[in-house]
Amino acid sequence: MELHTVNQLAGVTLARTDLMSRARAGDGEAFRALTEPYRRELQVHCYRMLGSFQDAEDALQDTMLAAWRGLEGFDGRASLRTWLYRIATNRCLDALRAARRRPAKQWDIPGIEPPEPTSLGEIPWLEPYPDALLDGAITVPLGPEARYEQTESISLAFVTALQILPPRQLTVLILRDVLGFRASEVAEMLDTTVDSVKSTLKRARAGLQRGLPVIGEQPGDSPAEEEIVAKFVTAYESADIDALVALLTDDVFMSMPPIPLEYQGRDIVARFCALVFDTMRSFALVPTRANGQPAFGVYHRTPTGRSAAALLVLTLTGDRVAAMTLFENTLFPVFGLPLQY
C-alpha cells in the first residue's frame, strides 16, 4: 500500500477517534457527524422491518436517541454501523411486539359503493417510501451474504411479503439476505446462537417465497417504463376505461391500505375503476416515484381547483400494469406534493 494511502487512512482513523471522544463527552455535533452517514440506510432498514414510512421515522428517532444515550457502551468490537443496526433492529422488534399499528379503516368515500372484494388485506399499515429519500440509502456496500438486489428489496411487493413473516423471521431475513450480515453478526445483534439464526432464516425464506406474488421482469426507470406510464396517465386522466383495461395484466391486483379491500383480476379491477370514473369523472395525475416504482399524486378536479385524492403506486411487468396500490392523501407532504393546487 502506498505511503500516501496509509497516511490518508491514518488521518481518517484519527478524525473518527476524535469525533468519538468528543461525542462521548457530550458534543452533539460530533455525534451527528459520526452517525449522519448511516441515517438514510437505517431509515430504509426500519421501513423494511415495519412496512410504514411513519413508523420507520419514529424507530429511527428512537434509535438515534438510544445511541446517543448509550454511546459509552459502544466498545468498538463491531463497527459503529453494525452497532447502530443492532440498536435499530431491536427498536423495530420492540415496535412489532407492541403491535403499534394503525387499525384497518372502513370504506368512507361518499357516493361510491365498492364491489365485493376478492380478499381482505392483512397489512393495513403498509405505506410507500419516497424515492427521493432512497438516494444514498440503497447504494451502500452489502455484506457477503446478501441475496437480493437493493432495488428489489425496497419494492412494495417485497416489503408487503416481509410483513407477513413473524417478527423474528422477518428480522433475520433482512439482516442476512438483504443486508448481507454474517450469521455470527446477526446472532450477536439478537443475543442468540448461530444455529438459531440459520434455522430461522430457512423458515423465513420459505415463508417469503409463499408470500411474494409472481411478477415478471419490471422495465425499471427506462424508455419502456415511460411509454407504459404515459399511456396509463392518458387513460386515467381521460377516464377512458377501455384504454386503461388494455394496459392491465389478466391477474392485475389492486389494494388500498389502510382500507383492507383487495381486488384481483382484470374484470373486477375494471369494474372498480369504472365506478370511480363514473362518480368523480375528472382526475389529474402528478408524477412522483415510490419504492423504485412509478407513482402519482392523484388529484380530483373541482370547479375551484384540484384536490388531493390518493397516492397511486404502479407495479409494472413487461408492457403491462400488474398492480395498483392506492394510499391515503395524508402521505402527499412526504412526497412533496400539495394537498390543493
Side-chain angles (χ1 to χ4, degrees):
M1 186 179 294
E2 295 183 4
L3 181 61
H4 175 69
T5 303
V6 172
N7 288 338
Q8 277 188 322
L9 292 173
V12 170
T13 301
L14 285 172
R16 287 178 178 169
T17 301
D18 178 60
L19 282 174
M20 182 63 72
S21 297
R22 287 163 47 199
R24 282 176 165 155
D27 186 334
E29 288 301 319
F31 175 78
R32 277 187 285 276
L34 281 171
T35 58
E36 189 61 31
Y38 309 110
R39 285 186 68 92
R40 285 280 178 91
E41 61 175 292
L42 286 169
Q43 186 177 31
V44 172
H45 174 57
C46 293
Y47 172 70
R48 288 191 184 103
M49 286 197 65
L50 301 174
S52 159
F53 178 84
Q54 187 56 60
D55 288 351
E57 180 64 23
D58 292 344
L60 177 64
Q61 298 306 321
D62 288 346
T63 296
M64 290 303 175
L65 181 59
W68 169 246
R69 290 174 173 172
L71 199 57
E72 283 297 324
F74 174 59
D75 57 15
R77 286 187 304 156
S79 68
L80 178 64
R81 177 177 180 265
T82 299
W83 183 69
L84 290 170
Y85 265 99
R86 175 175 184 160
I87 296 172
T89 296
N90 283 286
R91 287 297 177 277
C92 289
L93 278 171
D94 289 343
L96 290 169
R97 292 188 189 104
R100 293 185 305 205
R101 288 285 188 260
R102 298 189 311 275
K105 182 179 177 182
Q106 297 299 311
W107 179 267
D108 62 352
I109 300 178
I112 300 179
E113 184 64 33
E116 188 70 21
T118 308
S119 58
L120 295 177
E122 299 179 59
I123 319 294
W125 61 84
L126 184 71
E127 291 179 346
Y129 196 97
D131 273 24
L133 298 182
L134 290 175
D135 290 343
I138 60 170
T139 55
V140 296
L142 298 179
E145 309 296 333
R147 289 164 56 112
Y148 291 97
E149 295 289 338
Q150 290 284 64
T151 50
E152 177 188 4
S153 65
I154 198 65
S155 71
L156 272 181
F158 189 87
V159 172
T160 303
L162 285 175
Q163 302 310 304
I164 298 171
L165 297 175
R168 199 77 165 183
Q169 291 183 25
L170 174 154
T171 302
V172 170
L173 188 136
I174 292 173
L175 292 173
R176 293 280 283 125
D177 284 357
V178 175
L179 295 168
F181 284 107
R182 291 182 174 88
S184 57
E185 294 175 306
V186 175
E188 186 170 350
M189 286 184 193
L190 301 178
D191 293 321
T192 188
T193 65
V194 170
D195 285 344
S196 176
V197 168
K198 289 180 177 179
S199 62
T200 301
L201 180 60
K202 184 177 180 179
R203 294 194 301 274
R205 285 172 176 169
L208 182 70
Q209 290 308 309
R210 287 194 298 271
L212 275 174
V214 178
I215 294 175
E217 184 177 351
Q218 297 184 53
D221 191 1
S222 66
E225 180 187 279
E226 290 175 8
E227 182 178 354
I228 305 167
V229 168
K231 290 178 180 178
F232 181 88
V233 170
T234 299
Y236 206 101
E237 290 189 333
S238 61
D240 186 340
I241 193 65
D242 291 334
L244 183 66
V245 169
L247 295 172
L248 307 180
T249 61
D250 290 342
D251 59 349
V252 63
F253 180 75
M254 188 174 73
S255 58
M256 51 196 80
I259 297 171
L261 306 183
E262 294 179 344
Y263 299 94
Q264 183 156 23
R266 181 184 288 168
D267 290 344
I268 188 67
V269 170
R271 281 178 53 203
F272 183 95
C273 291
L275 185 62
V276 172
F277 288 164
D278 287 345
T279 305
M280 305 184 80
R281 293 197 175 277
S282 186
F283 293 96
L285 271 56
V286 176
T288 184
R289 291 191 69 84
N291 299 75
Q293 300 168 222
F296 308 92
V298 180
Y299 290 85
H300 180 218
R301 299 178 192 266
T302 68
T304 58
R306 297 174 182 179
S307 179
L311 188 79
L312 171 60
V313 183
L314 298 183
T315 300
L316 307 178
T317 179
D319 60 352
R320 293 288 184 270
V321 176
M324 297 189 290
T325 311
L326 291 153
F327 298 96
E328 293 186 304
N329 61 13
T330 53
L331 290 163
F332 275 46
V334 173
F335 285 80
L337 296 169
L339 292 174
Q340 305 276 345
Y341 78 98

